[in-house]
Amino acid sequence: MRGIVLKYNQKNINTDLIIPARYLNDSDPEHLGLHCMEDLDHDFKQKKDNLKATIIVADSNFGSGSSREQAPIALKAAGIICIIAPSYARIFYRNAINIGLPIIEFDDISKINTGDELEINFEDGTMNNISNKSEFKIGKMPKFLQEIISIGGLVNFAKKIILEK
Amino acid sequence: MGLTITEKILRDHTDNKNAVAGDIILANVDKCLGNDITAPISFDVFDKIIEGTNKGVFDREKIILTPDHFTPNKDVASAMQSKKLKDFSYKHKILYYFEMGRVGIEHCLIPQEKLVLPGEVFIGADSHTCTYGALGAFSTGVGSTDLGVAMALGKCWFKIPESIKFIYTGKLNKWVSGKDLILYTIGQIGVDGATYKAMEFTGDVIEKLSMANRFTMCNMATEAGGKNGIIPPDNITKNYLKDVEENKYKIYNSDKDAQYEDIIEFDCSKVEPQVAFPHLPENTKPISEVHNMQIEIDQVVIGSCTNGRLEDLEIAAKIIGNNKINSKLRCIVIPGTQEIYLEAIKKGYIELFVRSGAIVSTPTCGPCLGGHMGILAANERALSTTNRNFLGRMGHIESKVYLSSPAIAAASAIKGYITSPDY
């Protein structure tokens, strides 16, 4: 996976900032994607489009607050393919995995800046910052979670179980 | 090695009889819950899973659907979402679908209806599902995909959490409630102080705490990042469940030699009523300090899954008494369920609120998440008994939300600025 970074040096980017509740009366991903991150940064969409960014890097406790799955859905619909942060709120973490949005726990976000191009290899557990020629190890996900991601999300996992019954 | 109450409950709900904290399990869920914001997405997930099979819901008596967030429907889009709950419920003969007029705020309604019991594994597509840990259940918030999967399979994946034990000792100061204890705790450990962890609340203070206050404490475990809050059941729990046969539930307790990631003790005699300042629940200050700041407010909200129970309304009513709500602000009182509403009418609280100049609403999550029934304009400040004060949470992104107990909220509604009944 390869992509360009848009970074927010902010802790506790909560689900109300990712997708405000006033937009939750409609769960259409396209509608959610249009309003993604707007209360955090009014220019999010413009910045993302100008940079062609697809990876968000943020500080710790990303996705705190509500259980709304609309948060990772909105990010995905806005064209985000991966999130990198030192830590996540637990429901956001499981929601992202469940819908197949890769999410990386990575402490040293000071080594990544807006505009950097990253190459991420989940199987090797490595991340390459092409822009400043540095390479990092990223922790491997537990086997069970890898299985969910590799099968395309929890829906396919459940489908497999139900068909085996 | 001993086990925590959380480990024991989860272990008993999986095939892996050796599972301990850190292990990932596929657990059987006793009940699952969705609301008008989260359930519609879960229906799409459910339909995808069962598509091409002859399967239906795993158990029509173990699914609960509560249209409570943007209800009574605030606009056409919300009405469309609520209708999805109704249509799904009738199609799949869901036993616990609560139509508007019977629904309440889910986390007030479900314990009231005894739809969650000690020892159960309960999941809800709502972060405050952790409320029911107050009954000694493992109860946690999940996402819509988890709910869709649970509706089809009756299962949910979990990493069994490590536990942090909180011990509350000492004599409680006047006006200090479960809300103050949990705000104080979050202020001490931070909004990510218990991320992924079980928060086990113990100590002589907890042992004397009413169920309403216990629900309030467990409700906000998620605001410290906790996976679940949990209180070992005792006679107060059993008394709350007096209409339920004891063989219908199972009481678990942590072993004496259970492993805890951390043990944190608080001397409650040093804890004053707390106020959490914008824009995080961890920004807490004691009321003596806040009173001196004379923070004027435009709105007070008394209600929510955190503080919408009869006991909360009772405290507010007693403090308001014959006083009038300050003419510079609006005070919105929201009983958590229809039963609480009726009891409050019988006890005269509702008449008292209306005479004081407060607004009384039908049960709804409404203003807590900036849905409806009390949205803030730019530069307005609210004092609320709800659980989150994130930027823009209750309306305009330039508005501010302060969090407190019902006692502090009621006293402040009279004075017009944040204060205590004692000042």
Side-chain angles (χ1 to χ4, degrees), chain B residues 11-29:
Chain B
R11 184 187 271 192
D12 276 1
H13 282 78
T14 167
D15 296 333
N16 180 356
K17 296 302 171 206
N18 296 312
V20 289
D23 290 339
I24 293 180
I25 58 164
L26 200 57
N28 298 316
V29 302

Side-chain angles (χ1 to χ4, degrees), chain A residues 10-12 14-17 20-28 32 38-40 42 60-61 64-70 73 86-91 93-95 97-99 105 141-145 148 153-163 165, chain B residues 24-26 36-38 40-41 45 48-53 55 70 74-75 77-78 81 84 124-127 140-146 149 152-153 156-159 191-192 195-196 222-223 225-227 279-280 282 369-370 388 390-393 395 397:
Chain A
Q10 198 176 321
K11 288 182 181 177
N12 309 315
N14 62 63
T15 53
D16 281 272
L17 296 176
R22 60 182 177 276
Y23 300 118
L24 300 183
N25 55 1
D26 182 349
S27 50
D28 174 35
L32 297 169
E38 82 175 28
D39 281 3
L40 175 75
H42 194 261
S60 58
N61 202 27
S64 49
S66 152
S67 70
R68 65 190 69 153
E69 198 162 296
Q70 286 90 335
I73 291 172
S87 65
Y88 299 87
R90 55 163 287 272
I91 307 180
Y93 184 84
R94 65 185 297 132
N95 284 344
I97 288 170
N98 286 347
I99 68 164
E105 287 180 294
M141 271 186 190
K143 217 174 124 206
F144 180 78
L145 304 188
I148 293 175
L154 195 66
V155 172
N156 291 345
F157 179 82
K159 182 112 199 162
K160 202 175 121 212
I161 292 182
I162 215 156
L163 290 174
K165 264 188 186 173
Chain B
I24 293 180
I25 58 164
L26 200 57
D36 50 315
I37 287 179
T38 59
I41 295 174
V45 167
K48 274 185 206 153
I49 295 168
I50 62 154
E51 192 185 1
T53 74
K55 308 281 187 193
F70 290 164
K74 75 183 179 91
D75 54 23
S78 307
Q81 301 225 118
K84 285 181 185 172
D126 187 282
S127 57
T140 191
V142 296
S144 296
T145 296
D146 289 308
V149 169
L153 299 181
C156 188
W157 68 268
F158 298 108
K159 186 175 171 188
V191 291
D192 57 356
T195 299
Y196 306 129
T222 189
E223 307 312 331
K227 183 171 212 149
H279 295 286
L280 283 175
E282 71 182 20
L369 73 164
R388 289 195 180 122
F390 298 160
L391 186 77
R393 174 79 179 174
I397 58 167

Side-chain angles (χ1 to χ4, degrees), chain A:
Chain A
M1 174 185 288
R2 240 178 137 119
I4 292 168
V5 168
L6 177 56
K7 183 176 174 183
Y8 290 95
N9 255 326
Q10 198 176 321
K11 288 182 181 177
N12 309 315
I13 294 177
N14 62 63
T15 53
D16 281 272
L17 296 176
I18 298 169
I19 184 75
R22 60 182 177 276
Y23 300 118
L24 300 183
N25 55 1
D26 182 349
S27 50
D28 174 35
E30 203 179 325
H31 153 83
L32 297 169
L34 282 176
H35 299 290
C36 184
M37 303 288 250
E38 82 175 28
D39 281 3
L40 175 75
D41 178 1
H42 194 261
D43 301 323
F44 171 77
K45 192 178 178 306
Q46 201 187 337
K47 283 181 191 163
K48 177 180 68 73
D49 292 348
N50 289 349
L51 287 162
K52 297 193 170 60
T54 54
I55 297 174
I56 288 180
V57 175
D59 210 337
S60 58
N61 202 27
F62 187 88
S64 49
S66 152
S67 70
R68 65 190 69 153
E69 198 162 296
Q70 286 90 335
I73 291 172
L75 288 162
K76 211 174 168 183
I80 300 303
I81 58 167
C82 181
I83 299 163
I84 300 171
S87 65
Y88 299 87
R90 55 163 287 272
I91 307 180
F92 182 88
Y93 184 84
R94 65 185 297 132
N95 284 344
I97 288 170
N98 286 347
I99 68 164
L101 174 66
I103 183 167
I104 298 171
E105 287 180 294
F106 181 69
D107 284 329
D108 210 357
I109 58 164
S110 66
K111 301 282 166 52
I112 311 171
N113 292 303
T114 288
D116 285 358
E117 188 175 12
L118 303 181
E119 186 169 19
I120 301 159
N121 188 323
F122 290 96
E123 278 166 27
D124 297 355
T126 58
M127 177 164 71
N128 195 353
N129 189 335
I130 295 164
S131 304
N132 65 17
K133 297 189 177 57
S134 49
E135 195 176 301
F136 312 98
K137 279 232 169 305
I138 51 172
K140 283 191 183 176
M141 271 186 190
K143 217 174 124 206
F144 180 78
L145 304 188
Q146 278 183 33
E147 194 185 331
I148 293 175
I149 295 239
S150 68
I151 203 171
L154 195 66
V155 172
N156 291 345
F157 179 82
K159 182 112 199 162
K160 202 175 121 212
I161 292 182
I162 215 156
L163 290 174
E164 280 167 2
K165 264 188 186 173

Side-chain angles (χ1 to χ4, degrees), chain B residues 110-156:
Chain B
I110 284 160
Q112 173 193 293
E113 297 301 313
K114 311 296 185 281
L115 291 178
V116 57
L117 294 171
E120 289 187 344
V121 168
F122 191 112
I123 62 163
D126 187 282
S127 57
H128 294 107
T129 306
C130 52
T131 306
Y132 320 141
L135 287 165
F138 173 82
S139 191
T140 191
V142 296
S144 296
T145 296
D146 289 308
L147 174 61
V149 169
M151 290 194 300
L153 299 181
K155 290 180 190 294
C156 188

